[in-house]
Amino acid sequence: MSRSTLLDVEAIRRDFPILAQEVRPGVKLVYLDSTATSQKPRQVIEAVDHYYREQNANVHRGIYQLSEAATDAYEEARKKIRAFINAASWREIVFTRNTTESINLVAQTWGRVNLGPDDAVLISEMEHHSNIVPWQLLAQEKGFDLLVVPVRDDGLLDMDTFDRFLQEHPVKLVAITHMSNVLGTINPIERIIRDAHSAGALVLVDGAQSVPHLPVDVQALDADFLAFSGHKMLGPTGVGVLYGRRSLLEAMPPFLGGGDMIRRVRFGGSEWNELPYKFEAGTPGIAQAVGLGAAVDYLSAVGMDRIHAYEQEIAAYALERLAEVPGLTVYGPDASRKGAVAAFTMDGMHPHDIAQLLDAEGVAVRAGHHCAMPLHERFGLVATTRASFYLYNTMQEVDALIEALYKAKEVFSF
Ligand code: 7TS
């Protein structure tokens, strides 16, 4: 397979020290699990290192220079993230630990105040558990209906049922993934938001898989909430983001109580801090946020449009090559409707065995239900093997995957 002209992938790869690793002498690492977590470029590793060497102090507290430097670095990262998703204000960017915490924050604050027995929340069959379980927990307590939009055989959302649910039920919130972590399906999020708003519902977008891979503009989308994780977009673990429309965040009660989220504490009652600090109780992941700022710089310098276009190329090539392997089934839509994720099964082979045999060839893929058990059940599966790609993966690595799959088949033919 020839090289893509969209990205200088070889130059990009040189920025990621871990990709030069050999899993054993002579066998190069082929990392195909970026959907679980991405690798980190030296620019991110160095930003974290620099922060600890030169700026480390607690934020929003000290009046000494180092604390001011730490606060500036932390707030600078917030501003970079604001620009990256084109939020109207940095006050709409709340640092959390990850997508999971961002979604739970909305459920436990906005949801707790606004949802009751006469309401419905609409999710989909392709959600990650982190966009199912927080709503189930709250539904048990508040008695609202949790409606689930089905996934069609071709891996696309059943939009007719989506429309019908909006017409027939008092839906107050649509909580939906922008891109599936298993099927790779990119949902028609503009239309979903427009129709939800027309029906009087707010929309929370699970951007865990879209923000790292596509240009996402919260103002153009008119999203009410957007949740995503730093570690899937070249940033460190332990930092995530909740974007919320300012008027909504202003009206929401706090999530966790503690330091930094208050303006004044009295035993008779406390007052909350201004946005976004109202939602950032306790010492945050400062170095992690700084690292995420560097990750956003890196992605922006390459260009999200180019990253997405390159990933479409690699997805198309991967699907074409996977289709050549006898007895292999890939789940999800064709390459034009999905990101660079391929979850598959092979006749007569357990998905975990496939992953283990691939590992012996240096090819790192994930096997299991990928925290999407209802989706697997819908396709009559307990598990799939999943290969996923990012800007640092090459077409040659697709070839390495295919070769390793043929070797795995040979093992099983004995
Ligand atoms: N939503 C989606 C669509 C995801 O893919 C994930 C993580 C999450 C939410 C949760 O993100 P977290 O950072 O809070 O854990 N997905 C995966 C995966 O596919 N394999 O490992 C994690």
Side-chain angles (χ1 to χ4, degrees):
M1 175 75 196
S2 64
R3 282 189 189 174
S4 170
T5 51
L6 287 165
L7 294 184
D8 186 353
V9 181
E10 286 312 319
I12 288 171
R13 287 178 72 81
R14 284 195 288 277
D15 288 332
F16 290 78
I18 215 169
L19 297 179
Q21 227 175 64
E22 296 190 332
V23 291
R24 52 170 205 277
V27 180
K28 281 193 75 175
L29 169 69
V30 176
Y31 185 75
L32 303 184
D33 197 19
S34 295
T35 297
T37 199
S38 71
Q39 296 302 347
K40 323 300 175 199
R42 62 182 165 75
Q43 289 84 343
V44 168
I45 299 166
E46 282 164 13
V48 173
D49 184 85
H50 175 260
Y51 169 77
Y52 279 128
R53 284 176 194 275
E54 311 265 340
Q55 298 171 311
N56 180 56
N58 212 327
V59 289
H60 307 141
R61 286 166 173 77
I63 44 171
Y64 52 93
Q65 279 187 20
L66 211 51
S67 172
E68 280 173 12
T71 303
D72 287 351
Y74 182 64
E75 294 303 329
E76 195 55 39
R78 193 191 309 278
K79 287 176 180 147
K80 287 176 183 179
I81 290 153
R82 182 214 68 76
F84 189 66
I85 60 167
N86 192 32
S89 164
W90 59 272
R91 292 190 182 277
E92 298 177 317
I93 306 298
V94 178
F95 282 125
T96 61
R97 281 189 303 136
N98 47 37
T99 305
T100 304
E101 188 174 289
S102 298
I103 296 172
N104 277 274
L105 190 164
V106 177
Q108 292 300 320
T109 61
W110 182 87
R112 195 170 277 279
V113 172
N114 288 287
L115 296 171
D118 298 331
D119 301 316
V121 169
L122 195 155
I123 60 173
S124 88
E125 208 171 20
M126 68 170 78
E127 298 311 311
H128 186 279
H129 295 164
S130 67
N131 198 27
I132 302 174
V133 182
W135 307 114
Q136 281 180 330
L137 288 170
L138 195 63
Q140 279 165 14
E141 196 184 309
K142 298 284 181 182
F144 58 84
D145 278 340
L146 193 57
L147 305 170
V148 183
V149 179
V151 170
R152 307 188 320 194
D153 289 345
D154 61 5
L156 299 179
L157 276 184
D158 175 355
M159 294 305 290
D160 294 338
T161 304
F162 173 78
D163 291 339
R164 190 166 53 74
F165 279 164
L166 281 185
Q167 281 162 15
E168 294 179 358
H169 296 269
V171 177
K172 246 191 174 163
L173 178 75
V174 173
I176 202 143
T177 191
H178 192 173
M179 175 171 147
S180 162
N181 65 321
V182 177
L183 305 171
T185 313
I186 298 171
N187 288 319
I189 202 71
E190 295 87 347
R191 162 186 183 329
I192 288 172
I193 292 173
R194 200 173 52 241
D195 292 352
H197 284 171
S198 302
L202 297 180
V203 182
L204 178 150
V205 179
D206 176 349
Q209 297 301 341
S210 60
V211 174
H213 299 280
L214 328 165
V216 175
D217 176 330
V218 289
Q219 291 190 78
L221 290 178
D222 204 19
D224 300 295
F225 298 106
L226 173 73
F228 54 101
S229 297
H231 70 95
K232 293 185 195 288
M233 50 191 289
L234 313 185
T237 52
V239 63
V241 174
L242 173 68
Y243 159 80
R245 198 189 289 284
R246 188 167 182 169
S247 55
L248 291 168
L249 293 179
E250 296 278 10
M252 279 153 55
F255 177 38
L256 302 174
D260 231 21
M261 50 75 69
I262 43 74
R263 180 172 289 141
R264 174 175 303 177
V265 176
R266 290 195 170 131
F267 286 118
S270 300
E271 282 170 37
W272 317 133
N273 204 343
E274 59 194 0
L275 293 177
Y277 311 114
K278 180 169 79 173
F279 296 108
E280 293 183 2
T283 301
I286 306 164
Q288 290 85 342
V290 169
L292 180 55
V296 159
D297 283 344
Y298 191 94
L299 291 170
S300 303
V302 178
M304 292 308 296
D305 280 318
R306 287 169 69 214
I307 291 171
H308 178 49
Y310 176 66
E311 287 183 17
Q312 287 203 302
E313 243 180 42
I314 206 164
Y317 183 59
L319 292 188
E320 185 191 310
R321 294 292 328 262
L322 286 165
E324 292 167 10
V325 181
L328 188 149
T329 308
V330 180
Y331 300 89
D334 62 48
S336 68
R337 307 291 291 268
K338 73 188 251 163
V341 182
F344 59 89
T345 53
M346 286 170 85
D347 292 347
M349 293 169 72
H350 194 280
H352 284 94
D353 291 336
I354 300 171
Q356 231 156 39
L357 290 164
L358 294 186
D359 182 49
E361 302 301 318
V363 180
V365 297
R366 190 177 168 188
H369 53 63
H370 316 296
C371 300
M373 284 173 89
L375 178 67
H376 279 75
E377 224 165 88
R378 183 253 172 265
F379 283 97
L381 303 165
V382 282
T384 50
T385 311
R386 183 187 66 185
S388 55
F389 304 86
Y390 208 177
L391 74 167
Y392 41 66
N393 289 117
T394 63
M395 303 293 172
Q396 288 75 15
E397 287 181 312
V398 174
D399 296 335
L401 166 70
I402 303 297
E403 250 176 67
L405 286 172
Y406 276 110
K407 276 198 184 166
K409 269 177 84 72
E410 265 173 43
V411 172
F412 266 76
S413 66
F414 289 115

